[in-house]
């Protein structure tokens, strides 16, 4: 399952975002380090369900009238403060918890209502742009420190006649989520001495920064957009990272109102409909949220998740079935499964994602939409419905 980590300084709204996205109860407070132990939960990215192209909706529990929600893991960890790589705050615990993440949502207090340490200040008093680079700077410094502390092992291996630098670095960086392919691509873009003994601190720092950028890309969530000065949002959008304005508080209010049956709302909708009785105070609060949604195209919570997975990671959704005409599994369930795959994946990649045995026994695949056999080199597209024919199926 794809893993998304929430990062940011204390009190930026990470725990509220996590609660709104997962509807799991966690501690939420207006003080630093509300979160101590990492929270792990399941949230979803949203895409169009292929059942929209059929006469009836599929009825799957993750499909809401053609809005298909695909599960991903969401990780909420302790807030990060400057100097975290040196152990300040809960820095080492935070950074360790990020190693398995595929992508990071950096939650920024766009309102500028908390300082660098996460302590409350007046709205607009702190410049949120100051936060933009510090997460990656802390991660880069932390990883460079790990490389430095373990570099002697690379130097020892280099004395062997069959030494392979890429292999040695892959062994060292596997714990950070880097694959052999990641290391190979990163090294191609760097200049460095052939002999590890000749590497300098600057060489290791450049390697750390490049590995982090490839394996832990970042989306900025400009949270508290409902109270943020407009110029703060604009200046954040001028940075070199993808930025999604959001109101985690607003999303949480909508999710709870929907659970209570007073509004109709699905995560990622650009508006909602009131269907129950509201007090004047509730109605006023929801109308303020509606205004923010109209300005930004929603609350931004679902938008940030989608930007991380479909945008930054460039994944697609594929739907494997056993019956290509009815789009069902062996039990007759319509479109029961949805898998996230890297863009450019083929049907055999989908087979291996479903199960290793199915991939090992792969024979061919059928495009269920077109009702035709497709080649192994066919690139799948978003929303493809595919029958895998395998000796193991």
């Amino acid at each position: 399952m794809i893993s998304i980590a929430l990062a940011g300084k204390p009190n930026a709204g990470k725990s509220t975002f996590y609660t709104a996205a997962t509807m799991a109860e966690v501690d939420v407070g207006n003080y630093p380090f509300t979160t101590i132990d990492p929270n792990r939960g399941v949230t979803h990215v949203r895409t169009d369900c292929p059942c929209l192209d059929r006469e009836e909706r599929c009825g799957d529990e993750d499909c809401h009238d053609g809005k298909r929600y695909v599960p991903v893991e969401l990780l909420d960890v302790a807030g990060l403060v400057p100097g975290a790589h040196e152990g300040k705050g809960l820095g080492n615990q935070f950074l360790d918890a990020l190693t398995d993440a595929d992508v990071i949502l950096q939650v920024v207090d766009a309102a500028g209502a908390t300082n660098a340490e996460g302590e409350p200040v007046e709205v607009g008093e702190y410049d949120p742009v100051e936060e933009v680079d510090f997460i990656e700077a802390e991660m880069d410094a932390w990883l460079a420190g790990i490389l430095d502390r373990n570099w002697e092992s690379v130097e020892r291996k280099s004395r062997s006649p069959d030494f392979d630098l890429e292999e040695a670095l892959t062994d060292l960086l596997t714990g950070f989520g880097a694959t052999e392919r990641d290391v190979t691509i990163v090294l191609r873009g760097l200049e460095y001495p052939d002999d590890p003994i000749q590497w300098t601190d600057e060489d290791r720092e450049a390697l750390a920064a490049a590995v982090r950028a490839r394996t832990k890309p970042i989306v900025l969530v400009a949270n508290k957009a409902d109270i943020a000065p407009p110029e703060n949002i604009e200046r954040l959008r001028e940075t070199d990272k993808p930025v999604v304005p959001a109101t985690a508080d607003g999303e949480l209010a909508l999710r709870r109102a929907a659970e209570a049956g007073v509004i109709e709302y699905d995560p990622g909708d650009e508006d909602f409909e009131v269907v129950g009785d509201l007090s004047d105070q509730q109605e006023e609060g929801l109308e303020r949220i509606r205004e923010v949604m109209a300005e930004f195209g929603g609350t931004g919570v679902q938008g940030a998740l989608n930007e991380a997975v479909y945008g930054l990671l460039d994944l697609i959704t594929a739907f494997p079935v056993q019956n290509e005409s009815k789009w069902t599994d062996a039990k007759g369930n319509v479109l029961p499964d949805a898998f996230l795959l890297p863009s450019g994946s083929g049907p055999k990649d989908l087979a291996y994602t479903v199960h290793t045995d199915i991939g090992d026994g792969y024979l061919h695949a059928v495009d269920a939409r077109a009702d035709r056999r497709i080649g192994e080199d066919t690139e799948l597209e978003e929303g493809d419905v595919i029958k895998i024919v395998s000796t193991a199926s």
Side-chain angles (χ1 to χ4, degrees), residues 86-107:
E86 299 171 340
K88 293 182 180 178
L90 298 173
N92 289 329
Q93 177 177 329
F94 168 92
L95 293 164
D96 284 342
L98 282 180
T99 55
D100 293 330
D102 296 297
V103 61
I104 295 172
L105 292 180
Q106 180 180 345
V107 182

PDB file of all heavy atoms in Angstrom, residues 86-107:
ATOM      1  N   GLU A  86      19.627  16.994  14.729  1.00  0.00           N
ATOM      2  CA  GLU A  86      20.564  16.922  15.856  1.00  0.00           C
ATOM      3  C   GLU A  86      19.887  16.390  17.111  1.00  0.00           C
ATOM      4  O   GLU A  86      20.469  16.356  18.178  1.00  0.00           O
ATOM      5  CB  GLU A  86      21.150  18.313  16.137  1.00  0.00           C
ATOM      6  CG  GLU A  86      21.927  18.888  14.948  1.00  0.00           C
ATOM      7  CD  GLU A  86      22.311  20.339  15.166  1.00  0.00           C
ATOM      8  OE1 GLU A  86      21.666  20.997  16.028  1.00  0.00           O
ATOM      9  OE2 GLU A  86      23.232  20.812  14.486  1.00  0.00           O
ATOM     10  N   GLY A  87      18.610  15.997  16.968  1.00  0.00           N
ATOM     11  CA  GLY A  87      17.885  15.428  18.094  1.00  0.00           C
ATOM     12  C   GLY A  87      17.001  16.400  18.833  1.00  0.00           C
ATOM     13  O   GLY A  87      16.418  16.049  19.855  1.00  0.00           O
ATOM     14  N   LYS A  88      16.888  17.646  18.351  1.00  0.00           N
ATOM     15  CA  LYS A  88      16.049  18.622  19.047  1.00  0.00           C
ATOM     16  C   LYS A  88      14.578  18.258  18.884  1.00  0.00           C
ATOM     17  O   LYS A  88      14.170  17.718  17.867  1.00  0.00           O
ATOM     18  CB  LYS A  88      16.313  20.023  18.498  1.00  0.00           C
ATOM     19  CG  LYS A  88      17.712  20.533  18.815  1.00  0.00           C
ATOM     20  CD  LYS A  88      17.912  21.947  18.300  1.00  0.00           C
ATOM     21  CE  LYS A  88      19.311  22.453  18.624  1.00  0.00           C
ATOM     22  NZ  LYS A  88      19.544  23.815  18.098  1.00  0.00           N
ATOM     23  N   GLY A  89      13.788  18.606  19.904  1.00  0.00           N
ATOM     24  CA  GLY A  89      12.374  18.236  19.895  1.00  0.00           C
ATOM     25  C   GLY A  89      12.258  16.726  19.910  1.00  0.00           C
ATOM     26  O   GLY A  89      12.871  16.042  20.720  1.00  0.00           O
ATOM     27  N   LEU A  90      11.474  16.196  19.006  1.00  0.00           N
ATOM     28  CA  LEU A  90      11.363  14.747  18.825  1.00  0.00           C
ATOM     29  C   LEU A  90      11.938  14.366  17.471  1.00  0.00           C
ATOM     30  O   LEU A  90      11.452  13.461  16.798  1.00  0.00           O
ATOM     31  CB  LEU A  90       9.892  14.309  18.934  1.00  0.00           C
ATOM     32  CG  LEU A  90       9.226  14.589  20.283  1.00  0.00           C
ATOM     33  CD1 LEU A  90       7.741  14.277  20.219  1.00  0.00           C
ATOM     34  CD2 LEU A  90       9.880  13.791  21.383  1.00  0.00           C
ATOM     35  N   GLY A  91      12.995  15.097  17.081  1.00  0.00           N
ATOM     36  CA  GLY A  91      13.526  15.011  15.733  1.00  0.00           C
ATOM     37  C   GLY A  91      13.902  13.638  15.251  1.00  0.00           C
ATOM     38  O   GLY A  91      13.482  13.206  14.176  1.00  0.00           O
ATOM     39  N   ASN A  92      14.719  12.920  16.006  1.00  0.00           N
ATOM     40  CA  ASN A  92      15.159  11.607  15.530  1.00  0.00           C
ATOM     41  C   ASN A  92      13.984  10.654  15.381  1.00  0.00           C
ATOM     42  O   ASN A  92      13.920   9.865  14.434  1.00  0.00           O
ATOM     43  CB  ASN A  92      16.194  11.020  16.491  1.00  0.00           C
ATOM     44  CG  ASN A  92      17.517  11.764  16.405  1.00  0.00           C
ATOM     45  OD1 ASN A  92      17.872  12.265  15.345  1.00  0.00           O
ATOM     46  ND2 ASN A  92      18.233  11.848  17.508  1.00  0.00           N
ATOM     47  N   GLN A  93      13.032  10.724  16.321  1.00  0.00           N
ATOM     48  CA  GLN A  93      11.844   9.869  16.253  1.00  0.00           C
ATOM     49  C   GLN A  93      11.039  10.217  15.008  1.00  0.00           C
ATOM     50  O   GLN A  93      10.555   9.340  14.292  1.00  0.00           O
ATOM     51  CB  GLN A  93      10.996  10.082  17.503  1.00  0.00           C
ATOM     52  CG  GLN A  93       9.687   9.294  17.519  1.00  0.00           C
ATOM     53  CD  GLN A  93       8.916   9.500  18.821  1.00  0.00           C
ATOM     54  OE1 GLN A  93       9.515   9.706  19.879  1.00  0.00           O
ATOM     55  NE2 GLN A  93       7.611   9.468  18.727  1.00  0.00           N
ATOM     56  N   PHE A  94      10.908  11.505  14.728  1.00  0.00           N
ATOM     57  CA  PHE A  94      10.177  11.954  13.558  1.00  0.00           C
ATOM     58  C   PHE A  94      10.826  11.448  12.281  1.00  0.00           C
ATOM     59  O   PHE A  94      10.181  10.884  11.407  1.00  0.00           O
ATOM     60  CB  PHE A  94      10.136  13.487  13.540  1.00  0.00           C
ATOM     61  CG  PHE A  94       9.668  14.075  12.236  1.00  0.00           C
ATOM     62  CD1 PHE A  94       8.337  14.358  12.018  1.00  0.00           C
ATOM     63  CD2 PHE A  94      10.573  14.340  11.221  1.00  0.00           C
ATOM     64  CE1 PHE A  94       7.904  14.889  10.817  1.00  0.00           C
ATOM     65  CE2 PHE A  94      10.155  14.874  10.009  1.00  0.00           C
ATOM     66  CZ  PHE A  94       8.820  15.151   9.821  1.00  0.00           C
ATOM     67  N   LEU A  95      12.122  11.667  12.171  1.00  0.00           N
ATOM     68  CA  LEU A  95      12.818  11.322  10.940  1.00  0.00           C
ATOM     69  C   LEU A  95      12.859   9.819  10.715  1.00  0.00           C
ATOM     70  O   LEU A  95      12.725   9.350   9.589  1.00  0.00           O
ATOM     71  CB  LEU A  95      14.223  11.922  10.971  1.00  0.00           C
ATOM     72  CG  LEU A  95      14.236  13.464  10.931  1.00  0.00           C
ATOM     73  CD1 LEU A  95      15.592  14.008  11.363  1.00  0.00           C
ATOM     74  CD2 LEU A  95      13.886  13.966   9.544  1.00  0.00           C
ATOM     75  N   ASP A  96      13.030   9.057  11.783  1.00  0.00           N
ATOM     76  CA  ASP A  96      12.998   7.594  11.657  1.00  0.00           C
ATOM     77  C   ASP A  96      11.650   7.127  11.109  1.00  0.00           C
ATOM     78  O   ASP A  96      11.580   6.189  10.314  1.00  0.00           O
ATOM     79  CB  ASP A  96      13.252   6.927  13.013  1.00  0.00           C
ATOM     80  CG  ASP A  96      14.720   6.971  13.416  1.00  0.00           C
ATOM     81  OD1 ASP A  96      15.563   7.187  12.521  1.00  0.00           O
ATOM     82  OD2 ASP A  96      15.017   6.789  14.605  1.00  0.00           O
ATOM     83  N   ALA A  97      10.588   7.780  11.547  1.00  0.00           N
ATOM     84  CA  ALA A  97       9.242   7.355  11.153  1.00  0.00           C
ATOM     85  C   ALA A  97       8.957   7.630   9.683  1.00  0.00           C
ATOM     86  O   ALA A  97       8.028   7.075   9.107  1.00  0.00           O
ATOM     87  CB  ALA A  97       8.195   8.060  12.022  1.00  0.00           C
ATOM     88  N   LEU A  98       9.769   8.480   9.053  1.00  0.00           N
ATOM     89  CA  LEU A  98       9.535   8.837   7.659  1.00  0.00           C
ATOM     90  C   LEU A  98      10.146   7.870   6.656  1.00  0.00           C
ATOM     91  O   LEU A  98       9.891   7.971   5.468  1.00  0.00           O
ATOM     92  CB  LEU A  98      10.112  10.230   7.370  1.00  0.00           C
ATOM     93  CG  LEU A  98       9.296  11.433   7.835  1.00  0.00           C
ATOM     94  CD1 LEU A  98      10.021  12.707   7.457  1.00  0.00           C
ATOM     95  CD2 LEU A  98       7.918  11.415   7.213  1.00  0.00           C
ATOM     96  N   THR A  99      10.968   6.943   7.141  1.00  0.00           N
ATOM     97  CA  THR A  99      11.767   6.144   6.211  1.00  0.00           C
ATOM     98  C   THR A  99      10.933   5.300   5.258  1.00  0.00           C
ATOM     99  O   THR A  99      11.361   5.028   4.143  1.00  0.00           O
ATOM    100  CB  THR A  99      12.742   5.227   6.975  1.00  0.00           C
ATOM    101  OG1 THR A  99      12.011   4.425   7.911  1.00  0.00           O
ATOM    102  CG2 THR A  99      13.773   6.050   7.727  1.00  0.00           C
ATOM    103  N   ASP A 100       9.743   4.871   5.663  1.00  0.00           N
ATOM    104  CA  ASP A 100       8.922   4.010   4.808  1.00  0.00           C
ATOM    105  C   ASP A 100       7.955   4.786   3.927  1.00  0.00           C
ATOM    106  O   ASP A 100       7.241   4.190   3.121  1.00  0.00           O
ATOM    107  CB  ASP A 100       8.125   3.010   5.667  1.00  0.00           C
ATOM    108  CG  ASP A 100       9.027   2.004   6.359  1.00  0.00           C
ATOM    109  OD1 ASP A 100      10.097   1.696   5.800  1.00  0.00           O
ATOM    110  OD2 ASP A 100       8.663   1.534   7.452  1.00  0.00           O
ATOM    111  N   ALA A 101       7.916   6.114   4.069  1.00  0.00           N
ATOM    112  CA  ALA A 101       6.956   6.913   3.300  1.00  0.00           C
ATOM    113  C   ALA A 101       7.363   6.997   1.835  1.00  0.00           C
ATOM    114  O   ALA A 101       8.540   7.098   1.498  1.00  0.00           O
ATOM    115  CB  ALA A 101       6.848   8.314   3.889  1.00  0.00           C
ATOM    116  N   ASP A 102       6.366   6.963   0.950  1.00  0.00           N
ATOM    117  CA  ASP A 102       6.611   7.123  -0.478  1.00  0.00           C
ATOM    118  C   ASP A 102       6.576   8.587  -0.901  1.00  0.00           C
ATOM    119  O   ASP A 102       7.198   8.973  -1.887  1.00  0.00           O
ATOM    120  CB  ASP A 102       5.551   6.361  -1.282  1.00  0.00           C
ATOM    121  CG  ASP A 102       5.615   4.862  -1.039  1.00  0.00           C
ATOM    122  OD1 ASP A 102       6.649   4.249  -1.363  1.00  0.00           O
ATOM    123  OD2 ASP A 102       4.640   4.303  -0.493  1.00  0.00           O
ATOM    124  N   VAL A 103       5.835   9.393  -0.152  1.00  0.00           N
ATOM    125  CA  VAL A 103       5.678  10.809  -0.479  1.00  0.00           C
ATOM    126  C   VAL A 103       5.299  11.532   0.809  1.00  0.00           C
ATOM    127  O   VAL A 103       4.735  10.933   1.729  1.00  0.00           O
ATOM    128  CB  VAL A 103       4.601  10.997  -1.579  1.00  0.00           C
ATOM    129  CG1 VAL A 103       3.245  10.481  -1.108  1.00  0.00           C
ATOM    130  CG2 VAL A 103       4.511  12.442  -2.054  1.00  0.00           C
ATOM    131  N   ILE A 104       5.623  12.809   0.874  1.00  0.00           N
ATOM    132  CA  ILE A 104       5.388  13.580   2.094  1.00  0.00           C
ATOM    133  C   ILE A 104       4.449  14.747   1.814  1.00  0.00           C
ATOM    134  O   ILE A 104       4.634  15.492   0.849  1.00  0.00           O
ATOM    135  CB  ILE A 104       6.714  14.111   2.678  1.00  0.00           C
ATOM    136  CG1 ILE A 104       7.588  12.938   3.136  1.00  0.00           C
ATOM    137  CG2 ILE A 104       6.465  15.067   3.837  1.00  0.00           C
ATOM    138  CD1 ILE A 104       8.981  13.336   3.548  1.00  0.00           C
ATOM    139  N   LEU A 105       3.434  14.890   2.643  1.00  0.00           N
ATOM    140  CA  LEU A 105       2.596  16.080   2.655  1.00  0.00           C
ATOM    141  C   LEU A 105       3.124  16.976   3.770  1.00  0.00           C
ATOM    142  O   LEU A 105       2.982  16.651   4.951  1.00  0.00           O
ATOM    143  CB  LEU A 105       1.132  15.724   2.910  1.00  0.00           C
ATOM    144  CG  LEU A 105       0.393  14.951   1.824  1.00  0.00           C
ATOM    145  CD1 LEU A 105      -1.048  14.687   2.262  1.00  0.00           C
ATOM    146  CD2 LEU A 105       0.410  15.703   0.505  1.00  0.00           C
ATOM    147  N   GLN A 106       3.748  18.069   3.398  1.00  0.00           N
ATOM    148  CA  GLN A 106       4.262  19.004   4.402  1.00  0.00           C
ATOM    149  C   GLN A 106       3.176  20.021   4.726  1.00  0.00           C
ATOM    150  O   GLN A 106       2.818  20.854   3.906  1.00  0.00           O
ATOM    151  CB  GLN A 106       5.513  19.725   3.905  1.00  0.00           C
ATOM    152  CG  GLN A 106       6.076  20.704   4.936  1.00  0.00           C
ATOM    153  CD  GLN A 106       7.313  21.422   4.449  1.00  0.00           C
ATOM    154  OE1 GLN A 106       7.932  21.016   3.475  1.00  0.00           O
ATOM    155  NE2 GLN A 106       7.691  22.492   5.136  1.00  0.00           N
ATOM    156  N   VAL A 107       2.626  19.904   5.922  1.00  0.00           N
ATOM    157  CA  VAL A 107       1.539  20.787   6.344  1.00  0.00           C
ATOM    158  C   VAL A 107       2.130  22.083   6.885  1.00  0.00           C
ATOM    159  O   VAL A 107       2.869  22.087   7.873  1.00  0.00           O
ATOM    160  CB  VAL A 107       0.658  20.103   7.409  1.00  0.00           C
ATOM    161  CG1 VAL A 107      -0.500  21.020   7.798  1.00  0.00           C
ATOM    162  CG2 VAL A 107       0.124  18.771   6.885  1.00  0.00           C
TER     163      VAL A 107
END
